[in-house]
Amino acid sequence: MYRYHCLNPISQVGLEKFPGKYENTDKIDEADAILVRSADMHAMELPEKTTAVARAGAGVNNIPIDALGKKGVVVFNTPGANANGVKEMVLAGMLLASRDIVGGIEWLEKQEATEDLAKKAEKQKKQFAGCEISGKKLGIIGLGAIGVRVANAAVHLGMEVYGYDPFISVDAAWSLSRSIHHINDISCIYRECDYITIHVPLMDSTRNMIGAEEIAQMKDGVVLLNFARDLLVDEEALAKALQAGKVKKYVTDFANPIVAKAPNTLVTPHLGASTEESEDNCAVMAVKQLMDYLENGNIKNSVNYPNCDAGTCVDEGRLTINHKNIPNMISQFTKVLGDAGVNISNMTNKSKGDLAYTILDVATPISQEVAKNLKAISGVYRVRIVK
Ligand code: MLT
């Protein structure tokens, strides 16, 4: 029996994918795995039993991924599962920033008692008119699952699209429309584009990546869209640029006291991925990844450990080792197994940054004693007998 604990409500469509040998537990201490959406896990102490955390979403800034990596806890996310939901919000944001649709609706709501309303509305409409997005330049910073979808949709809407991503994946590059300008110098986006949208994860290296200096390089009257994370933008500097009219509109999905006070903002309450479809897709992906990890030791879409897939174990036993990415680890593992007379039939080892992961299939069942000896090797964070 495997037990999982949900730190936030997770879509039933996803949880129903767990078969009978899985149980949802209220007690975190019993959990082999944790499912989370927005709960802040930074101050949480996880039980030794917990081997995996799956975020039903893309951003993982609420999870201490490095610290958990060193405890041998694999953290998964669900890239792409909610990308369509966010893409649709970005398109809506561009349209709402271009014409004062919200202002027009709000004005009309106050005209209940106005006589000859149709005539008055025709007279007043000028103040809500705006521009079309077709023919305008859109700069996209970050061409992951969301950025690529926004880019392709914007091309279909007649925009000229500039994309910047020094770390673009081969898959993302293949999915991009050929008419998108792939930019190597981000300042070109600042200089050229009428609309700029950010789609990068929040990390130490991206925090405040849009500040006073970057804003100064932008076109006067630029529209900035942020459906990624508020801390990517120095919003104090941005508030000044909004006040001065340098930035025409800031469309953000992240409410906070700075944007609540700033003029010319369109703020939504983190609605990007809050659609039924996105929530279901994220939960299904998170659950499938957890099951493959718990039952087979395979890793797909982890943000701290490398992808590692050894399929289903067809031999007598399988063990997995989470360890430091340093020389001489494999030889120490094989020595422990060899000394115990355990024959290795298959081995996969992968690394990502400071962390590495090894899957070993063996021809004889693995004893707790052997697992204990492996765990005692310096640099080993966790040993798990999967079968
Ligand atoms: C994400 O990180 O996937 C989106 O911002 C949505 C969310 O946080 O749930």
Side-chain angles (χ1 to χ4, degrees):
M1 176 68 75
Y2 299 100
R3 293 195 172 81
Y4 62 91
H5 176 79
C6 299
L7 288 174
N8 297 104
I10 303 288
S11 146
Q12 272 309 316
V13 174
L15 297 184
E16 278 162 13
K17 298 278 173 213
F18 279 128
K21 58 184 170 184
Y22 284 79
E23 189 179 81
N24 188 344
T25 175
D26 285 348
K27 299 188 189 93
I28 193 166
D29 283 353
E30 293 179 353
D32 299 295
I34 287 176
L35 283 140
V36 62
R37 289 189 59 201
S38 56
D40 187 351
M41 296 183 69
H42 283 280
M44 264 181 205
E45 201 53 56
L46 293 189
E48 180 55 30
K49 195 173 191 303
T50 303
T51 61
V53 171
R55 168 138 212 279
V60 286
N61 54 304
N62 55 325
I63 306 172
I65 58 172
D66 294 335
L68 288 180
K70 289 185 188 141
K71 289 185 171 159
V73 177
V74 178
V75 180
F76 297 89
N77 71 346
T78 59
N82 57 19
N84 191 63
V86 182
K87 173 201 84 181
E88 290 186 7
M89 275 298 283
V90 175
L91 297 178
M94 281 199 288
L95 295 168
L96 291 172
S98 305
R99 304 184 187 205
D100 194 5
I101 299 169
V102 175
I105 293 170
E106 282 173 355
W107 177 80
L108 269 167
E109 277 170 359
K110 292 184 203 121
Q111 306 304 315
E112 235 175 282
T114 305
E115 277 177 31
D116 210 357
L117 181 56
K119 207 164 157 194
K120 188 164 178 207
E122 284 301 325
K123 267 201 182 149
Q124 294 293 323
K125 71 180 181 187
K126 274 197 295 295
Q127 60 179 307
F128 308 114
C131 66
E132 299 178 19
I133 59 173
S134 178
K136 304 295 185 301
K137 292 181 180 170
L138 168 66
I140 303 181
I141 302 173
L143 293 166
I146 298 170
V148 165
R149 280 176 175 76
V150 172
N152 292 343
V155 167
H156 288 298
L157 292 170
M159 300 186 87
E160 190 177 342
V161 179
Y162 291 61
Y164 172 81
D165 191 339
F167 309 106
I168 189 167
S169 70
V170 175
D171 275 354
W174 273 108
S175 318
L176 264 189
S177 156
R178 280 201 298 167
S179 55
I180 289 154
H181 307 285
H182 195 193
I183 302 302
N184 293 319
D185 175 7
I186 196 167
S187 56
C188 173
I189 296 228
Y190 301 145
R191 280 196 313 272
E192 295 293 329
C193 294
D194 308 294
Y195 297 77
I196 298 176
T197 182
I198 315 162
H199 299 288
V200 298
L202 175 63
M203 300 181 296
D204 286 341
S205 57
T206 57
R207 192 178 299 269
N208 279 341
M209 62 179 280
I210 306 283
E213 221 175 274
E214 289 71 27
I215 294 169
Q217 294 176 56
M218 294 178 191
K219 274 177 142 174
D220 290 346
V222 66
V223 171
L224 185 63
L225 299 111
N226 184 357
F227 286 83
R229 287 294 181 266
D230 51 358
L231 298 179
L232 295 166
V233 176
D234 174 354
E235 289 181 333
E236 298 278 7
L238 179 73
K240 290 187 189 139
L242 285 161
Q243 194 74 49
K246 166 82 185 170
V247 175
K248 186 172 100 181
K249 279 263 190 267
Y250 181 46
V251 187
T252 174
D253 209 13
F254 305 97
N256 64 47
I258 306 174
V259 291
K261 278 203 306 261
N264 301 320
T265 53
L266 286 170
V267 189
T268 42
H270 203 184
L271 293 181
S274 293
T275 60
E276 212 177 296
E277 295 87 341
S278 285
E279 289 185 7
D280 292 351
N281 289 343
C282 287
V284 169
M285 199 188 227
V287 165
K288 285 186 175 166
Q289 290 170 177
L290 278 183
M291 278 167 39
D292 196 19
Y293 179 67
L294 291 173
E295 293 177 36
N296 303 312
N298 295 327
I299 300 180
K300 186 167 182 208
N301 291 328
S302 167
V303 288
N304 54 1
Y305 275 90
N307 281 346
C308 194
D309 188 350
T312 308
C313 180
V314 289
D315 219 320
E316 276 306 305
R318 171 172 289 181
L319 62 87
T320 62
I321 308 176
N322 304 57
H323 56 99
K324 251 190 192 168
N325 182 21
I326 47 174
N328 204 28
M329 297 304 280
I330 306 289
S331 61
Q332 295 184 77
F333 302 158
T334 53
K335 170 137 188 9
V336 169
L337 293 170
D339 288 351
V342 177
N343 186 39
I344 300 169
S345 53
N346 196 14
M347 187 181 78
T348 315
N349 168 267
K350 293 275 179 328
S351 64
K352 178 168 174 163
D354 293 338
L355 299 179
Y357 186 71
T358 301
I359 303 179
L360 290 147
D361 287 354
V362 290
T364 35
I366 303 146
S367 66
Q368 288 298 338
E369 182 66 17
V370 169
K372 208 171 116 204
N373 292 341
L374 287 166
K375 178 77 198 328
I377 296 170
S378 166
V380 168
Y381 297 128
R382 185 180 293 269
V383 175
R384 202 157 64 89
I385 300 176
V386 171
K387 182 181 172 191

